[in-house]
Amino acid sequence: MEINIDLSCIMVIFGGTGDLTHRKLMSAIYNLSYQNMLPDNFAIVSIGRRVFTDEEYREQIKKSVSKYSRFPMKDEKWDEIRSKVYYLDFDFKDNDGYIKLKKLLGDLDERYNTHGNRIYYLAVAPEYFEPIVGKLKFHGMNTHKGSKRRIVIEKPFGKDLKSATYLNEKITSAFSEDNIYRIDHYLGKEMIQNIMVIRFANLFFESLWNNKYIDNVQITSSEMVGVESRGGYYESAGALKDMIQNHMFQLLSLIAMEPPVSLHTEDIRDEKIKVFKSIEKVTPEYVMENMVRGQYGRGKIGDKEVVAYREEDKVSPASNIETFVAMKLYIQNYRWVGVPFYIRTGKRLASKSTEIVIQFKSMEKLLYFKEFDNLEPNLLVIKIQPKEGIFFQINGKKQGVENRIIPIQMEFCQNCPLENNSPEAYERLLFEVMKGDSTLFTRWDEVEYSWKFADTISEVWKNKQPNYPNYDSGSWGPKESDELLKRDGKFWWNV
Ligand SMILES: NC(=O)c1ccc[n+]([C@@H]2O[C@H](COP(=O)([O-])OP(=O)(O)OC[C@H]3O[C@@H](n4cnc5c(N)ncnc54)[C@H](OP(=O)(O)O)[C@@H]3O)[C@@H](O)[C@H]2O)c1
């Protein structure tokens, strides 16, 4: 691939010995290198507390890449980046460490001709975001005339609006907004980028994409796994903050936004933010009526018995944290008025999938439709993970002499023929940071709006104790989630 942008840089990974770096970031870098997408003028400096030599660190990374990368480990490919990986051990709060780092980066600039360009990747617990940014600023490493200095911040970006605003103030005091890349790794997924293409490059979808033809939209992200080893983090987050505030809101904005005036980052983000602004005001009464929360009890996933959330490691036996959320929202603009958007996410559910179902309105009761009153509606399903593709349901005549109409399903699976080898989200996202394109990252006002929304719901829920657990592991969540749609004469499509 030929790219006419200067990609030269040193990527500085804070948290270089952590899980994210081992499982995702280094595999993404190897995969980019494998496809010859990395520039020659490139190096990586990883930072952690554990003490390793460069060689020891490189060997560990090689093992992880061999395990997690989508491309096979080939020595000749690994050798292209191996010697460009460096490791430093110091505590993030230790000034001497930054002095060492600055010196090493200067030396590497000369060796690799990286022009002082940096990508600081904060693959660290959120409490370190502020101290690291502060130290980078204190040591004059945040800006440099004529060089690109970018910073990538992992999720979660704050734990509510107040903490997110505080964090944002600290980061923007050191880096300008166009150099800040707030990660929502969902935006790096292939089918999410495809949503805009499906909508805006197909006449027959875009012309029907409104309240005249669409009955309702359902956005589901379900997991079969429980909280696993993340109990400590999850106890302070829950499904609302872990999934709805970021990933689900991003999906909603892409499905509901107006066509942007251009494909420039800010034009797309401007349209996304208008969706958030158009969401019907969420009052305490609205929350109680239209939002459902749940927590998993014991149950079966496949034929395996699993424990309840309150029995998980690092979880309080009296925990009131929600592991499931379902809600109905309305977007009050000319395109969507009257169309319910149902959103749900949860752990320990019956299947693992992220998908968006667009249910079209039923046909007028004429011709066939007079005789067959149980005709299925047309459905467009955008499958985001694990399968990536599109599923379409239309009505057709059943073969034979009888006049019967049956739903016909057509499916396009993008990643099936490649045996799941479509690019990993982090691969795409790292490459976008190197290019300096922040379209697939969240702008501050998107984060701000989504936190305002999540905080309103949290506040209402805080004042009313739930009765947990209220759904069995392996089910589709609490019965109130089904009732939410049943009241409107609808049901969840578990396609
Ligand atoms: N893991 C994932 O799949 C994933 C997915 C999405 C988002 N995230 C986000 O990514 C971030 C990192 O997650 P993670 O799972 O990789 O965490 P992790 O495995 O706990 O790694 C933390 C890293 O920070 C380093 N560290 C901690 N305190 C330090 C200190 N005082 N000074 C220097 N180094 C220090 C650790 O170094 P030592 O071990 O050497 O002490 C380690 O390299 C978090 O914000 C998380 O929410 C992770």
Side-chain angles (χ1 to χ4, degrees), residues 436-453:
D437 186 335
S438 48
T439 313
L440 301 180
F441 298 80
T442 45
R443 195 167 68 185
W444 165 243
D445 50 358
E446 295 178 66
V447 178
E448 189 182 20
Y449 265 94
S450 52
W451 270 129
K452 270 186 200 160
F453 176 82

Side-chain angles (χ1 to χ4, degrees), residues 123-334:
V124 299
E127 72 251 33
Y128 289 116
F129 294 162
E130 185 199 340
I132 293 173
V133 170
K135 293 287 180 202
L136 290 173
K137 188 176 171 189
F138 180 78
H139 290 277
M141 299 164 78
N142 53 326
T143 55
H144 187 259
K145 203 159 180 277
S147 307
K148 294 165 211 145
R149 299 274 158 116
R150 298 177 181 142
I151 188 158
V152 185
I153 309 279
E154 260 300 334
K155 79 161 213 183
F157 198 91
K159 56 182 174 31
D160 50 24
L161 179 61
K162 193 170 166 222
S163 57
T165 306
Y166 176 81
L167 174 61
N168 197 53
E169 279 166 13
K170 295 290 167 194
I171 298 173
T172 49
S173 75
F175 294 88
S176 56
E177 176 69 33
D178 58 332
N179 285 314
I180 302 172
Y181 293 76
R182 298 177 193 85
I183 287 253
D184 183 330
H185 70 270
Y186 259 50
L187 292 179
K189 291 184 187 292
E190 276 293 310
M191 277 311 289
I192 296 214
Q193 292 153 39
N194 212 347
I195 291 174
M196 275 179 54
V197 179
I198 292 168
R199 285 194 52 190
F200 302 132
N202 291 296
L203 181 75
F204 61 92
F205 287 141
E206 187 49 20
S207 52
L208 302 180
W209 212 260
N210 57 53
N211 59 0
K212 190 163 175 213
Y213 299 105
I214 291 179
D215 182 88
N216 72 85
V217 178
Q218 303 182 8
I219 307 178
T220 297
S221 181
S222 60
E223 291 178 279
M224 292 171 88
V225 292
V227 76
E228 297 184 300
S229 58
R230 293 170 72 222
Y233 157 72
Y234 208 79
E235 278 285 273
S236 64
L240 179 67
K241 295 180 180 182
D242 189 47
M243 291 296 295
I244 301 273
Q245 177 271 334
N246 38 48
H247 310 320
M248 306 299 276
F249 247 55
Q250 287 296 325
L251 294 183
L252 174 71
S253 67
L254 290 166
I255 281 292
M257 69 191 253
E258 293 299 314
V261 292
S262 83
L263 292 178
H264 287 134
T265 305
E266 297 314 319
D267 290 331
I268 294 173
R269 288 166 154 189
D270 286 347
E271 293 306 332
K272 285 167 70 190
I273 201 76
K274 282 185 205 162
V275 174
F276 298 154
K277 286 182 182 171
S278 310
I279 293 174
E280 183 176 349
K281 192 169 174 348
V282 173
T283 60
E285 297 72 40
Y286 188 93
V287 173
M288 295 313 294
E289 259 175 49
N290 296 296
M291 309 215 170
V292 174
R293 55 184 161 156
Q295 188 192 77
Y296 61 84
R298 293 178 184 180
K300 267 188 161 184
I301 296 288
D303 52 11
K304 193 173 154 236
E305 303 274 355
V306 292
V307 298
Y309 177 72
R310 288 176 175 178
E311 297 167 303
E312 299 275 17
D313 190 25
K314 299 193 199 117
V315 168
S316 156
S319 174
N320 275 337
I321 285 293
E322 78 286 350
T323 59
F324 177 97
V325 174
M327 60 176 66
K328 174 168 74 170
L329 295 177
Y330 284 103
I331 295 169
Q332 299 294 23
N333 62 20
Y334 279 109

Side-chain angles (χ1 to χ4, degrees), residues 15 17-20 23 49-50 90 92 124 128 154-155:
T17 52
D19 178 66
L20 182 70
R23 280 195 310 117
R49 267 177 309 201
R50 280 170 268 177
F90 66 84
F92 297 145
V124 299
Y128 289 116
E154 260 300 334
K155 79 161 213 183

Side-chain angles (χ1 to χ4, degrees), residues 292-296 323-326 344-347 349 467-472 475-484 492:
V292 174
R293 55 184 161 156
Q295 188 192 77
Y296 61 84
T323 59
F324 177 97
V325 174
R344 72 177 161 168
T345 183
K347 289 191 177 293
L349 296 182
N467 190 12
Y468 287 158
N470 61 351
Y471 71 95
D472 290 343
S475 70
W476 273 107
K479 64 179 186 337
E480 289 82 1
S481 161
D482 292 328
E483 283 162 9
L484 179 70
W492 291 106

